[in-house]
Amino acid sequence: MSFDLVFFGGTGDLTWRKLMPALFQAFRHGKLPEGGRILAVARDDQTDERYREWLKERFREVEAGKRPSDEEFERFAALVHYKRMDLSQPEHYQGLKDWLDARNADTVVLYLATSPHLFTGICQQLGAVGLNHDKVRVVLEKPLGHDLASAQEINRTVRSVFAERQAFRIDHYLGKPSVQNLMALRFGNALFEPLWRRESIANIQITLAEQLGVGTRGAFYDGTGALRDMIQNHALQLLTMIAMEPPASNDADAIRDEKLKVLRALKPFTRESVSRDVVRGQYRAGMCGGQPAPGYLEEVKVPADSACETFVALRTEVENWRWAGVPFYLRTGKRLAARDAQIVVNFRPVPHQIFPGASLPNRLVIKLQPEDGLELQLLAQKGAGAGEQLTPVSLDLDFDKAFATHRVGAYERLLLDAIAGRLNLFVRSDEQEQAWRWVEPILDAWAADGNGPRPYAAGSWGPAAASALVARDGFSWAEEQ
């Protein structure tokens, strides 16, 4: 299958840090279909050779195990081309169409690795020159809008040019092998499904924690914040995969229909419930990873009076028969105590305790990063004698070790899926809009609240109010147990 893959924003950070290295890994693994061309477009005046040299220098910053040798890069670079484009000039789109039409590949993938405010203009220009025919797919990188209205405007424009099956809204978390294993865990095994409901589960916690601060992205992050950056997309997508009903098949729309039902069943926020069930914070100076870390307000390009949140913890419920009364806790933040992304399913305690001493309920930990695996925490006896208390033990599965030779990265998987036309791991427009619809009351409540975010020290687990949020229900975050 011949394909042309075009990166709008071909000299941007996303392209050289994530997309090109992911494509190289697919090439190295022999997974990239034969007959492919990769075209980077940007405003810089470069030739193919100069762009390839520029890209080779950028590859030196990729982690060691993923860097190409000189021989590997030469073979990969033969697929890479460059075209100068000013995205505001209609005639440049015609030039792109002519370049693509000259070969007439089986599939054309147009990846918009640009600022979201350019999405509508690019899509309109693509439609104007006829780059929206059946062979074309468009990939839209997050964030898809700043609020519900802007997301709907982007989707209206995309729908006016492309059919829904041609639109691939990417959330790179969905490409992580550990996230894909959520589906396999639930619907490929008979073990958990009878327990996956309110009668057996006490609460579910989703944590997406980062040790890093905002770095050089201060200006962008200050206009975004943790709620838009992580909760509206990544965290909610994880919640839907944990809480969804079994789909009728592995078909993309069957899966996305069930995820949409979860988003529609989420308990809506009011002004009062936001103040009670949502905690926002902003990091101050502290020690992170053993090194001094500046506060958010001291970061480059961050306004000195910024009220942008760098931490969010919230409590919600899925109001349906399976999950009624089970709290879901979502938490994300920067400059936290560890880089840790995980889902913790806390089961209910045994109904009648016959062993001496206090005992912890069972829990299932689904590790997303930096480790990738499953940990089932049980209780057992050491066999030391009569009257012995139970001791926690773990069944620990490391997917990286179990499947060491068959793993692919998130962007590698998603790029290959876009080329192949598989939509299972991409977000549908109605999912995306419903997620915005759910978070928007939080944004509105914060806009009317003059108190701003709560401070927390860099290197901590966020404001104390986040622990109180969970403790109010008689529970605690995983690291506090």
Side-chain angles (χ1 to χ4, degrees), residues 236-248:
L236 281 186
Q237 283 295 315
L238 294 176
L239 188 155
T240 61
M241 297 182 81
I242 282 289
M244 66 190 279
E245 294 298 316

Side-chain angles (χ1 to χ4, degrees), residues 58-365:
R58 303 285 83 73
F59 266 101
R60 300 186 195 281
E61 300 183 35
V62 175
E63 61 182 275
K66 296 184 178 180
R67 288 179 204 156
S69 66
D70 288 343
E71 185 272 335
E72 284 178 317
F73 183 80
E74 288 305 314
R75 289 191 293 115
F76 175 70
L79 309 178
V80 177
H81 304 269
Y82 181 84
K83 188 172 184 61
R84 181 182 177 276
M85 275 190 71
D86 182 338
L87 299 180
S88 66
Q89 300 301 313
E91 63 271 19
H92 287 199
Y93 291 86
Q94 186 60 51
L96 172 64
K97 184 176 187 298
D98 293 342
W99 190 87
L100 294 168
D101 286 351
R103 191 169 76 124
N104 192 28
D106 296 327
T107 299
V108 176
V109 179
L110 307 174
Y111 197 120
L112 307 194
T114 67
S115 173
H117 78 271
L118 298 175
F119 287 175
T120 55
I122 294 173
C123 288
Q124 288 167 344
Q125 295 284 8
L126 291 171
V129 298
L131 272 177
N132 60 341
H133 53 78
D134 284 348
K135 294 181 179 181
V136 174
R137 294 161 193 148
V138 62
V139 181
L140 304 166
E141 181 68 46
K142 85 160 190 85
L144 286 166
H146 190 74
D147 53 20
L148 178 60
S150 58
Q152 289 174 325
E153 177 59 30
I154 291 172
N155 285 331
R156 273 194 296 269
T157 302
V158 172
R159 278 194 295 268
S160 72
V161 179
F162 299 98
E164 182 66 35
R165 59 178 172 76
Q166 294 176 280
F168 289 66
R169 296 169 187 82
I170 201 165
D171 184 329
H172 72 269
Y173 255 71
L174 298 185
K176 290 179 179 290
S178 49
V179 175
Q180 296 164 40
N181 263 312
L182 290 178
M183 294 282 289
L185 173 74
R186 290 200 55 198
F187 307 128
N189 299 282
L191 178 63
F192 290 110
E193 182 56 29
L195 306 176
W196 216 257
R197 57 192 68 248
R198 67 186 186 278
E199 290 87 354
S200 300
I201 293 176
N203 68 85
I204 294 177
Q205 303 175 9
I206 299 174
T207 295
L208 304 175
E210 299 178 87
Q211 276 192 311
L212 295 175
V214 297
T216 60
R217 299 170 67 239
F220 164 79
Y221 192 88
D222 202 68
T224 305
L227 187 71
R228 291 183 175 97
D229 192 42
M230 298 294 286
I231 297 291
Q232 184 272 337
N233 38 71
H234 301 328
L236 281 186
Q237 283 295 315
L238 294 176
L239 188 155
T240 61
M241 297 182 81
I242 282 289
M244 66 190 279
E245 294 298 316
S249 69
N250 201 31
D251 174 73
D253 277 331
I255 294 168
R256 298 190 294 181
D257 286 346
E258 297 302 335
K259 289 163 63 184
L260 179 61
K261 290 177 186 177
V262 174
L263 291 170
R264 287 175 171 166
L266 285 175
K267 187 175 183 179
F269 282 107
T270 64
R271 185 73 59 87
E272 293 73 25
S273 66
V274 168
S275 63
R276 182 184 67 244
D277 294 335
V278 183
V279 176
R280 59 171 166 160
Q282 186 184 90
Y283 65 84
R284 299 292 188 257
M287 296 292 293
C288 202
Q291 300 294 324
Y296 178 72
L297 298 180
E298 287 81 57
E299 298 281 17
V300 178
K301 297 182 180 179
V302 171
D305 60 348
S306 172
C308 175
E309 82 285 356
T310 62
F311 175 95
V312 177
L314 62 84
R315 180 194 189 279
T316 188
E317 295 180 20
V318 180
E319 297 184 316
N320 61 20
W321 276 44
R322 181 184 290 267
W323 296 112
V326 176
F328 285 73
Y329 304 106
L330 278 57
R331 174 176 63 165
T332 188
K334 289 189 174 296
R335 288 291 187 209
L336 297 181
R339 176 176 177 257
D340 187 21
Q342 64 178 18
I343 302 168
V344 180
V345 180
N346 290 299
F347 291 92
R348 295 191 184 280
V350 294
H352 175 61
Q353 179 63 263
I354 65 172
F355 296 96
S359 60
L360 295 172
N362 304 137
R363 66 179 181 174
L364 175 67
V365 182

Side-chain angles (χ1 to χ4, degrees), residues 347-392:
F347 291 92
R348 295 191 184 280
V350 294
H352 175 61
Q353 179 63 263
I354 65 172
F355 296 96
S359 60
L360 295 172
N362 304 137
R363 66 179 181 174
L364 175 67
V365 182
I366 303 165
K367 302 174 183 178
L368 308 178
Q369 69 179 27
E371 299 174 36
D372 178 7
L374 296 173
E375 182 181 342
L376 181 59
Q377 299 180 2
L378 307 172
L379 297 171
Q381 286 186 327
K382 294 180 180 178
E388 179 187 353
Q389 294 187 13
L390 297 182
T391 301

